[in-house]
Amino acid sequence: MSGSGAAPGPGSGSSPAACRFAHYFVLCGIDADSGLEPDELAVLYQWLEADRHGKSQDAANTTSGENFDQSPLRRTFKSKVLAHYPQNIEWNPFDQDAVNMLCMPKGLSFRTQTDNKDPQFHSFIITREDGSRTYGFVLTFYEEVTSKQICTAMQTLYQMHNAEHYSSVYASSSCSMDSLASSVDEGDTTSLLKLQRYNSYDISRDTLYVSKSICLITPLPFMQACKKFLIQLYKAVTSQQPPPLPLESYIHNILYEVPLPPPGRSLKFYGVYEPVICQRPGPSELPLSDYPLREAFELLGLENLVQVFTCVLLEMQILLYSQDYQRLMTVAEGITTLLFPFQWQHVYVPILPASLLHFLDAPVPYLMGLQSKEGTDRSKLELPQEANLCFVDIDNHFIELPEEFPQFPNKVDFIQELSEVLVQFGIPPEGSLHCSESTSKLKNMVLKDLVNDKKNGNVSTNNISMYELLKGNETIARLQALAKRTGVAVEKMDLSASLSEKDKDLKLQCEEAELRDYQLNVQLREVFANRFTQMFADYEAFVIQTAQDMESWLTNREQMQNFDKASFLSDQPEPYLPFLSRFIETQMFATFIDNKIMSQWEEKDPLLRVFDSRIDKIRLYNVRAPTLRTSIYQKCSTLKEAAQSIEQRLMKMDHTAIHPHLLDMKIGQGKYEQGFFPKLQSDVLATGPANNNRWVSRSATAQRRKERLRQHSEHVGLDNDLREVCGLLSWGASQQAP
C-alpha cells in the first residue's frame, strides 16, 4: 500500500482494455452462507494497540472501539467480495483482499429501522510495487437482511451480550443480600433498560439492515463521474419503478463500451437516468485531478493548508485524522496534486486499515490517513513521539506542526494570491474556522482591484491587447516571438462581441457548480505550479550530467553528484534559503533531477515535460536571466487560459460513448426487486464485445500521423524559424478541421 509516482499512461498498451474507462465493477457485502464472522482485522487491531502501548489485552478491550463487550450492532463483522467483473485483467490483476479491505475498511456494519442509513461515498488508492496507481470509488448503502439465519444469529448475540452484561453487574455487587437486592432492583434494572433502549435488536420487533458496497476500479481518478454513475445505480435499486434497462446493461456499458477520453478531450457516457460528463487535460496542461480542492480549503483553511503543504514538501510525517474516509482522501489527494512538478516518493496510505496501524511507528516519511471513532476524545489519541510529525485533525480544522520548520518562500504574498482566487469563487480563505489573524485580514481586501487585473482570470470588456489575453498560450507565444523577429506588431482588438457571438451556439454540458469546481481546481493548481516555475526557472543550469550512457549512469548513480547544490543556493534570493536548503535534500527533488538526466536517453517524464515547457515560456518573456532569480513576487498569468480550456471542453463534447443497450440475457434474468441490489448475471458481464473501442484505432492512427510528420520534418532539416511557422500553420489547420 505504499509507493509514489503517477500511474503510467493507461492508454499506452495495445490492448483495448488499456483504453477502457473502468477496469472492474465490484460488489462487497455479507456472505449469507458463511453467516456472521468476527472481523479478524478488528481483533488484530486490539492486540496491536495493546502491544504498541504496553497495555494488557484486558486494557485494550476497555478502550478499543471494536470489541466483544460492545453491543452486537456496533461490532465489526467480516465482509467479502461477493462478485467482481470481469474476473481478471492480465496487466491489472484483481487484488481481492485489498479491494475488500478498502471498500469496507470497517467490515460489515448493521443497522435497524431506527438508525441512520444514508448511503456514503468514499474512494481509495491501490499503489503497486512499480509506483503505478489504481483508483477505487465506492458507494456503501444498507440493505434489509432477509436471511433468517443471520437475523437469528444477531438475536443470539444480543442474548449472550445481555447475559454477560448482567453477570458483570451481578459479580461486582456487594455480597450482602440487602445490597444485592438493591443492586438487582435498581442498578441492574436501569442498566438493562438502557441497554434495551439503545443499540438493541429484537427479531420480533426490529428490521435488520446490513451494509453493502458497489465499487468501480479505474486507471484514472475520474472521481466525480464515478460518483454520479454509482449514485444512479443506487437510485435505480431503491426506486419504486424498475430502471429502463436491467442493471447489467449499464455495468456492461461502463466496463466495455465507455473509453477513456483522449488527452485534451471530453467524454459523455450514460448512467441509468442521465448522462455523465468527464474531461481530461491535454498533454501541455497540469495532469488530471478530480478531487475538489474547494473542500480541502474549506476543511483546513488556506493558511493551515499551506503549512501542511510545506510539511509534505519537506517530507515529514503527515497524519490526517477524520471520521470521514472521503475527507481523508480529499485532503491527501488535494495536497499531493499541488506538488507539481514533484511527486511524493514515500509511504502513501490515505486510508490506513486497522491491521496496518503499526505503520505509524515507522521512522520514515509518510502521508497516511487514520479514521477517528465517533465520540473519541482526541486528547486520548496516542501519537508517535516524532519531532517531524504533522498532525492534521480535519474535522476540527486543527493542525499540530513540527517543532521547527522553514516557511514557504513569499508565504504572505502566496497566501494573498490564493485568497484572491478563493474569494472570486465565494470561498472564505479562513475555511470553516478562523485560522489566524493574518489570514483574517486577507478577507477584507478590496475586491475591486481584482476586476480588471488581466492576470487573475478577469478581463474587462474594453479593448485589450490580444497579446496580453493570450500570452499564456504556448502557440501564441511562439508566434509572438516570430512576429517580433520579423517586425510584425499585434494590434488591439475588441473581443467582447466575438466572444458573446461564439457562446450563443454553445451550451454547458454539466452543472454550473461542477464547472466552477473544475475551474477553481485548475486555477489554484496554476498558482502553486507558478511558484515552483519561478523558484526553479534556472534549475537546468545546475544539473550535472557526466555519464555518457544510461547504463553507466545507473551503475554509478549512488556515487555521483547530479545537482550542484552549493552553486544553486548561492544563486538564490536570501529569503528562500531556509526552505530551499532543506527541500533540495528531499527524495522528491532527487527523483525530479534523476528524471531530467534520464530524459536525454528516454522519453521525458510527462510532468517534467510540462514543467520545462513552462520554464521556456518564462524565458521567452524575460530575456534577461537575472529576472528569473529575483525575490520579487510574480503572480500567475495563466489563470484565465486554464479556466477557459476546461470550459471549452465542457461546452462541446468531443466523444459520446455507446448508449447502454439490452444484452443477450435469458428470460427471467435481470429481475428487479425494490431495495435490493440484484444478483448480477456473470455470463453477460464476464467479457465485452470484440472491437468495441472505436477510439483506440482512431487514436493510434492520429499518433502514427504525428510520428510521420515529425520524422519528415527532421529529414528535411528545416531551420528553426521555418519549422515553427510550419507547426503553427499545421495547428491552425487542425483547429479548422471538422
Side-chain angles (χ1 to χ4, degrees):
M1 297 299 298
S2 64
S4 63
S12 59
S14 58
S15 168
C19 293
R20 293 205 305 247
F21 180 88
H23 290 169
Y24 294 100
F25 178 83
V26 186
L27 188 66
C28 294
I30 187 169
D31 185 352
D33 295 333
S34 301
L36 293 180
E37 298 182 72
D39 190 349
E40 296 173 357
L41 294 181
V43 178
L44 178 59
Y45 169 78
Q46 296 177 33
W47 284 101
L48 287 171
E49 276 291 87
D51 179 70
R52 185 166 174 260
H53 300 301
K55 299 177 182 178
S56 67
Q57 183 60 35
D58 292 339
N61 283 339
T62 62
T63 58
S64 174
E66 304 188 5
N67 60 69
F68 294 101
D69 290 334
Q70 248 191 343
S71 160
L73 278 180
R74 296 296 174 258
R75 295 179 193 170
T76 300
F77 297 93
K78 185 182 295 185
S79 63
K80 289 188 176 180
V81 174
L82 303 179
H84 66 279
Y85 309 100
Q87 284 302 304
N88 201 52
I89 296 176
E90 182 178 354
W91 46 269
N92 183 18
F94 185 78
D95 190 336
Q96 181 162 303
D97 292 336
V99 171
N100 179 50
M101 181 170 58
L102 291 168
C103 279
M104 308 189 86
K106 294 187 295 185
L108 296 172
S109 56
F110 287 87
R111 298 286 187 270
T112 66
Q113 72 279 1
T114 61
D115 296 315
N116 177 29
K117 297 181 290 296
D118 292 337
Q120 298 292 325
F121 174 83
H122 79 273
S123 54
F124 62 83
I125 291 176
I126 295 178
T127 307
R128 304 186 191 92
E129 292 182 359
D130 63 357
S132 60
R133 295 177 178 177
T134 295
Y135 297 83
F137 303 97
V138 186
L139 188 70
T140 302
F141 55 94
Y142 287 87
E143 200 172 76
E144 183 179 343
V145 177
T146 57
S147 169
K148 187 176 181 179
Q149 177 188 357
I150 300 296
C151 294
T152 302
M154 181 61 71
Q155 177 77 24
T156 302
L157 287 174
Y158 258 101
Q159 291 172 349
M160 296 171 60
H161 174 71
N162 291 344
E164 183 179 349
H165 182 78
Y166 182 88
S167 299
S168 64
V169 174
Y170 183 87
S172 62
S173 304
S174 169
C175 293
S176 164
M177 293 299 295
D178 292 339
S179 61
L180 177 59
S182 173
S183 174
V184 172
D185 290 342
E186 298 176 12
D188 291 357
T189 302
T190 302
S191 298
L192 291 176
L193 285 175
K194 287 182 178 179
L195 181 66
Q196 293 170 358
R197 189 176 301 118
Y198 302 105
N199 299 330
S200 64
Y201 172 69
D202 187 330
I203 195 171
S204 64
R205 180 193 65 207
D206 296 317
T207 303
L208 189 64
Y209 296 85
V210 65
S211 56
K212 180 174 281 188
S213 292
I214 50 178
C215 169
L216 281 176
I217 295 180
T218 66
L220 292 178
F222 289 108
M223 191 267 290
Q224 301 289 358
C226 291
K227 182 178 181 180
K228 288 183 177 180
F229 180 83
L230 293 174
I231 288 176
Q232 290 187 50
L233 280 184
Y234 170 73
K235 288 181 177 179
V237 170
T238 56
S239 173
Q240 294 182 354
Q241 299 296 325
L245 296 170
L247 293 189
E248 284 88 344
S249 293
Y250 303 100
I251 296 170
H252 180 276
N253 180 250
I254 198 170
L255 285 177
Y256 302 112
E257 298 172 330
V258 176
L260 279 174
R265 296 291 183 263
S266 54
L267 171 72
K268 177 194 292 185
F269 64 93
Y270 293 89
V272 180
Y273 299 111
E274 58 187 25
V276 178
I277 305 300
C278 62
Q279 59 86 32
R280 187 175 175 185
S284 62
E285 300 177 61
L286 294 175
L288 174 66
S289 176
D290 213 30
Y291 287 82
L293 287 174
R294 169 184 53 80
E295 292 183 16
F297 278 85
E298 287 176 339
L299 288 169
L300 296 184
L302 172 54
E303 185 165 315
N304 276 348
L305 191 140
V306 170
Q307 295 287 64
V308 175
F309 172 73
T310 305
C311 291
V312 173
L313 283 171
L314 298 179
E315 296 184 341
M316 299 179 176
Q317 293 179 331
I318 318 295
L319 179 59
L320 309 177
Y321 191 65
S322 173
Q323 288 186 33
D324 191 315
Y325 290 127
Q326 188 58 17
R327 285 186 174 185
L328 295 173
M329 278 294 300
T330 297
V331 173
E333 282 292 287
I335 290 178
T336 53
T337 197
L338 297 174
L339 295 176
F340 171 88
F342 308 103
Q343 295 173 280
W344 180 256
Q345 300 294 318
H346 301 280
V347 177
Y348 182 67
V349 190
I351 298 176
L352 182 67
S355 60
L356 302 180
L357 197 66
H358 57 286
F359 275 26
L360 295 178
D361 291 321
V364 297
Y366 59 70
L367 202 169
M368 293 193 278
L370 182 64
Q371 191 209 27
S372 59
K373 295 181 178 64
E374 186 175 359
T376 301
D377 186 353
R378 192 177 84 33
S379 62
K380 295 181 181 179
L381 180 66
E382 298 189 42
L383 299 174
Q385 299 300 313
E386 296 288 344
N388 66 339
L389 176 68
C390 174
F391 178 74
V392 184
D393 189 344
I394 298 174
D395 298 338
N396 294 306
H397 320 282
F398 175 77
I399 64 173
E400 292 178 4
L401 294 170
E403 297 173 358
E404 292 183 8
F405 76 102
Q407 297 297 317
F408 192 75
N410 296 116
K411 177 186 169 184
V412 174
D413 294 325
F414 183 45
I415 287 180
Q416 179 168 337
E417 183 179 11
L418 290 168
S419 297
E420 294 171 1
V421 176
L422 291 172
V423 169
Q424 288 180 44
F425 287 85
I427 300 172
E430 67 275 13
S432 302
L433 214 62
H434 289 275
C435 300
S436 69
E437 183 180 355
S438 61
T439 306
S440 300
K441 288 180 180 179
L442 294 174
K443 185 178 180 181
N444 301 319
M445 61 187 172
V446 183
L447 297 182
K448 65 181 181 181
D449 291 341
L450 303 176
V451 175
N452 291 308
D453 62 3
K454 302 188 190 128
K455 291 184 179 181
N456 288 281
N458 299 288
V459 182
S460 67
T461 57
N462 298 330
N463 289 352
I464 60 175
S465 167
M466 175 64 110
Y467 172 65
E468 284 296 318
L469 176 62
L470 299 175
K471 64 185 284 189
N473 183 284
E474 183 178 6
T475 305
I476 298 299
R478 291 158 59 195
L479 181 60
Q480 173 71 15
L482 290 172
K484 187 175 181 180
R485 289 198 290 269
T486 57
V488 178
V490 179
E491 301 294 338
K492 294 182 179 181
M493 62 181 294
D494 185 2
L495 292 181
S496 57
S498 60
L499 287 176
S500 60
E501 291 282 336
K502 181 179 180 181
D503 291 343
K504 285 182 181 179
D505 299 328
L506 298 177
K507 181 181 179 182
L508 192 62
Q509 300 291 312
C510 66
E511 296 179 2
E512 184 70 26
E514 187 176 352
L515 171 63
R516 289 179 63 81
D517 268 356
Y518 278 130
Q519 292 180 324
L520 175 62
N521 260 29
V522 73
Q523 291 199 2
L524 289 171
R525 295 174 68 200
E526 286 287 342
V527 174
F528 277 83
N530 180 60
R531 294 313 311 134
F532 290 122
T533 306
Q534 299 290 341
M535 283 192 288
F536 294 97
D538 56 348
Y539 83 96
E540 289 183 75
F542 303 95
V543 175
I544 302 174
Q545 301 186 6
T546 56
Q548 299 299 317
D549 57 80
M550 185 169 64
E551 184 177 352
S552 63
W553 181 80
L554 290 173
T555 302
N556 302 296
R557 167 68 185 87
E558 298 301 325
Q559 292 77 35
M560 298 178 64
Q561 183 182 3
N562 297 326
F563 190 75
D564 190 347
K565 299 174 182 178
S567 299
F568 174 78
L569 291 176
S570 67
D571 206 44
Q572 304 308 309
E574 183 71 24
Y576 291 12
L577 296 183
F579 171 82
L580 288 178
S581 60
R582 292 186 57 174
F583 178 68
I584 63 175
E585 299 294 338
T586 62
Q587 184 61 44
M588 72 174 71
F589 184 77
T591 301
F592 173 77
I593 297 300
D594 285 351
N595 288 339
K596 181 64 177 179
I597 294 175
M598 292 283 288
S599 67
Q600 62 184 314
W601 300 302
E602 61 181 25
E603 185 178 359
K604 185 178 289 189
D605 175 78
L607 297 186
L608 181 63
R609 183 181 65 247
V610 176
F611 186 67
D612 282 350
S613 70
R614 290 170 176 246
I615 291 178
D616 291 340
K617 290 181 186 178
I618 288 185
R619 289 173 176 165
L620 183 65
Y621 303 133
N622 299 278
V623 180
R624 295 184 303 162
T627 61
L628 300 179
R629 294 184 292 276
T630 179
S631 61
I632 298 175
Y633 191 85
Q634 300 179 48
K635 285 186 175 182
C636 180
S637 61
T638 59
L639 298 188
K640 184 174 180 65
E641 179 198 3
Q644 281 185 335
S645 296
I646 298 260
E647 186 170 4
Q648 288 170 1
R649 284 196 289 270
L650 294 176
M651 282 289 190
K652 184 178 180 181
M653 291 296 102
D654 297 300
H655 299 299
T656 300
I658 300 171
H659 283 253
H661 51 85
L662 280 172
L663 303 174
D664 186 16
M665 298 173 64
K666 298 176 182 178
I667 297 176
Q669 290 183 335
K671 183 179 178 182
Y672 171 77
E673 186 176 359
Q674 184 183 0
F676 295 92
F677 200 89
K679 182 178 180 181
L680 300 172
Q681 304 304 311
S682 58
D683 54 339
V684 297
L685 293 177
T687 58
N691 301 322
N692 61 302
N693 198 332
R694 295 177 295 170
W695 292 277
V696 176
S697 58
R698 184 181 303 177
S699 300
T701 302
Q703 185 62 38
R704 287 194 296 268
R705 185 184 301 116
K706 289 182 180 179
E707 183 65 19
R708 285 197 300 269
L709 288 173
R710 185 187 66 80
Q711 293 175 351
H712 177 70
S713 176
E714 292 178 352
H715 176 71
V716 173
L718 297 174
D719 64 83
N720 290 336
D721 285 358
L722 184 56
R723 191 177 304 164
E724 288 191 343
V725 171
C726 290
L728 291 170
L729 291 174
S730 175
W731 173 82
S734 66
Q735 299 303 301
Q736 297 177 8

